Each structure stands twice: as structure tokens, then as C-alpha cells.
Amino acid sequence: MILASPVSGELRCRSFPAHSSTNQHSDRVEHSSTMALSSRLKYVSLGVLVLQTTLLVLTMRYSRTLKENGPRYLASSAVVSAEVLKIFMCTLLIFSENNFSLTAMYELLNKEILNKPVELVKLAVPAGIYTLQNNLLYVALSNLDAATYQVTYQLKILTTALFSVSMLGKKLGSYQWLSLLFLMAGVTLVQLPVESLGDSEQNVMSASSQFVGLIAVLMACVSSGFAGVYFEKILKETSQSLWLRNIQLGLFSFVFGLTGMVVYDGESLKQEGIFQGYNTITCIVVVLQALGGLIVAVVIKYADNILKGFATSLSIMVSTLMSYFLLKDFNPTSVFFLGAVLVIAATFLYGYEQKPASSSTNKV
């Protein structure tokens, strides 16, 4: 009996660590599986972002330069259609988050949208600017090739950084300021005029078209930077889901887009209707544009800045190759490639986070 207690105690001591070890092992397995899933989602979301960004630019450019017998589709109509589709997709996502309960979804939308008019009105500003930006992108890609557009549009990094400093009080590191210099130098090189032989009148028309496209891109960069930072500021002040915020944005964007379409394209609407000139390519453009904001939201959740910079760079390279080989509207030069390399380097450098020097000395 005297030996029973030590023996049983020893047995108990041996069995307890075994049980603890099993729990630790299962926790490690669960943690590793979660990390693996998160890693897969990160790269899948980035791959989808590259695909969406590249396809949107190429299909939009193709649709705006495609020669057809009938009227060309209205850019304002495509913007409105994309907003309607985005609202529908976000509603479905909220429906799924509420366990597919119509009652729960209705109560949520009623509480967060109808019963909070002040919060809703705050989104009128970014919604109006986003609507303007989306229309400007159609103007830009009607006048610029896909490669030049992709590189120049990265100036939104500069405008976003400047608005973040002025509106949110963010501080940029030395690497980020250096990346902005690279960015400006790269875009400047890309926009340098190239001597071309041929009809002088044709060259003048081409230069004029490029100037219109450049102004449209620059205005889109400024509007993108301001609206993005303003939206970020609103998101930090509230705890609403991103899908709900996109519905609120979409409602205002729909109203602004519809008003702009009636004002500027009223005569065309009376003659040919809202869906004039629509074809398969146009529908693809609308779907890709509606998906853009949702994909970016997923990337923000799972990816870091360096991987987003990689996605942007890959999209630029693919767009350049497709613009040259498929659309055949782009003649690359050494100056363009130098500018593109600087812009790609700037996207990586801006997302680079400098680690403190003391972190390595803390380890024993």
C-alpha cells in the first residue's frame, strides 16, 4: 500500500505529460493548418487581383478602340451598371454572413443604412469622387495604350501618400520618400514624347489624344488618392463591415452616375437606350470593374504591402506584353522600359518596412 501511492503517482505523472503533449501537438497542427490556409488565400487573392487588374485594363482598352458598325457603348452607362452589380454582390455577401436569413439581413441594412443618415451622408463625398474616377478611366483608356496607362496610373501611390500625410497625419519613412521620387521619375520617362515618322497631321492627332489621356489619368490619380484616404478615415471611425460600406458607397455612386449619364448622354439615351453598343466584351468590362473593389478588400485582409507591390508589378508587365502582342497599339522603347523599371522598383520600395536595428540584438 505504501508503494501504491508513489507508483500511482508516478503513473499519473507520466500520463499527464502525455496528455499535455497530445494537446500541444494538436494545437501545433491546427495552427500550422490555419497558417497554410491563410498563406494559400494570400497568394490566391493576389493572383486574382493580377488577373482582374490586367484583364480590366486590356478589355477596357479593346472595347474603347473596337470598330463597330453601330454606336459605341456609353462609358457612363458602364459605370452605373458596375455599381448596380457591385451592390448586388455585396448584398449577397451580407446575406451569407447572416446565415442566409432575409430577416437578419433586412434588420442589419435598416439599422446601419436607414437609421444612420448622418453616417450615410459622410460617404457621399468619396462616392462622388469614385464615380468621377471611374468615368475618367474610360477616357484615359480611350486615348492611351494599356501599358502607358498602367505605368502612369501608379501615380496614385504618390497622391495617396500625400493625402495620408495631410489628412491622417501619417509619417513616411526615408524608403517611402525615395520610392516617390523613383515613381515621379519613372512616370516622367514613360510620358516623354517619341519621334515618329509618317503623316504630321496623324502625329498631331495622336499627341492630342495622348495629352487628353494623360490629363484623365492624372485627375483619376488625384481623385483615387483623396477618396481612398477619406474612405480609410471613415472606416477607422466605425466598425461596420466592408461589404456594408461598399453598399452605402454604391448607392451614392449609382445616384451620381445616373445623374451624370442623363446630363451628359441624355440625347444618346433617348435615341439608342441605356444599353446601346453593349456586347460580350462590354459585359466583361462591367463585371471586372464591379469585382475590383471586392478583390482589393480581400487582398488588404490577407496580403502585405510587398506582395501587393509584386502584384502591381506583374500586372504592369503582363499588360505591356499583351498590349504589344495582342492589341498591337504599343511600341516599346528603351526610355519606356527604364521608366517602367523605376515605377516597379518604387512600388516595392514603398511597401518595404525597415526593421529597427535593435531587434537583432535583443535575441539571446
Side-chain angles (χ1 to χ4, degrees), residues 12-30:
R12 284 197 298 270
C13 288
R14 287 179 180 176
S15 62
F16 180 74
H19 179 67
S20 175
S21 176
T22 303
N23 286 340
Q24 290 177 357
H25 176 70
S26 62
D27 288 343
R28 282 197 298 268
V29 171
E30 183 178 353

Side-chain angles (χ1 to χ4, degrees), residues 132-181:
L132 172 65
Q133 173 195 337
N134 289 332
N135 280 280
L136 286 170
L137 296 185
Y138 280 95
V139 176
L141 280 165
S142 298
N143 295 278
L144 292 175
D145 60 82
T148 304
Y149 163 83
Q150 273 281 62
V151 176
T152 309
Y153 192 47
Q154 299 315 308
L155 273 177
K156 63 184 179 182
I157 298 174
L158 171 64
T159 58
T160 302
L162 295 179
F163 282 121
S164 295
V165 170
S166 59
M167 294 173 62
L168 299 179
K170 286 188 176 181
K171 293 183 179 180
L172 302 181
S174 55
Y175 282 102
Q176 291 173 314
W177 285 114
L178 182 61
S179 72
L180 296 181
L181 292 177

Side-chain angles (χ1 to χ4, degrees), residues 63-132:
S63 69
R64 301 307 289 173
T65 56
L66 182 64
K67 294 181 180 180
E68 293 182 314
N69 296 327
R72 190 186 305 279
Y73 74 92
L74 301 174
S76 57
S77 169
V79 170
V80 171
S81 299
E83 292 301 330
V84 172
L85 185 58
K86 185 171 69 175
I87 292 172
F88 176 72
M89 288 189 292
C90 287
T91 304
L92 286 180
L93 288 167
I94 291 178
F95 183 51
S96 66
E97 286 181 350
N98 286 273
N99 299 319
F100 300 98
S101 170
L102 286 173
T103 304
M105 184 183 71
Y106 172 77
E107 290 177 354
L108 176 66
L109 295 178
N110 185 57
K111 175 187 174 183
E112 298 295 341
I113 296 179
L114 298 180
N115 293 339
K116 293 183 179 179
V118 177
E119 294 294 324
L120 184 63
V121 170
K122 288 181 181 179
L123 290 169
V125 175
I129 296 174
Y130 277 133
T131 305
L132 172 65

Side-chain angles (χ1 to χ4, degrees), residues 317-363:
M317 290 186 284
V318 174
S319 296
T320 301
L321 292 173
M322 295 298 101
S323 185
Y324 177 72
F325 288 108
L326 291 183
L327 300 183
K328 300 184 184 302
D329 60 353
F330 170 65
N331 294 316
T333 63
S334 57
V335 176
F336 176 88
F337 279 119
L338 177 59
V341 167
L342 285 175
V343 170
I344 290 172
T347 59
F348 277 105
L349 196 58
Y350 188 82
Y352 177 76
E353 295 180 3
Q354 189 175 8
K355 296 180 180 179
S358 58
S359 61
S360 60
T361 59
N362 291 336
K363 296 180 181 179

Side-chain angles (χ1 to χ4, degrees), residues 45-66:
S45 62
L46 283 169
V48 173
L49 178 62
V50 171
L51 188 63
Q52 182 269 340
T53 305
T54 306
L55 285 178
L56 176 60
V57 171
L58 293 174
T59 53
M60 191 182 289
R61 171 63 178 172
Y62 179 71
S63 69
R64 301 307 289 173
T65 56
L66 182 64

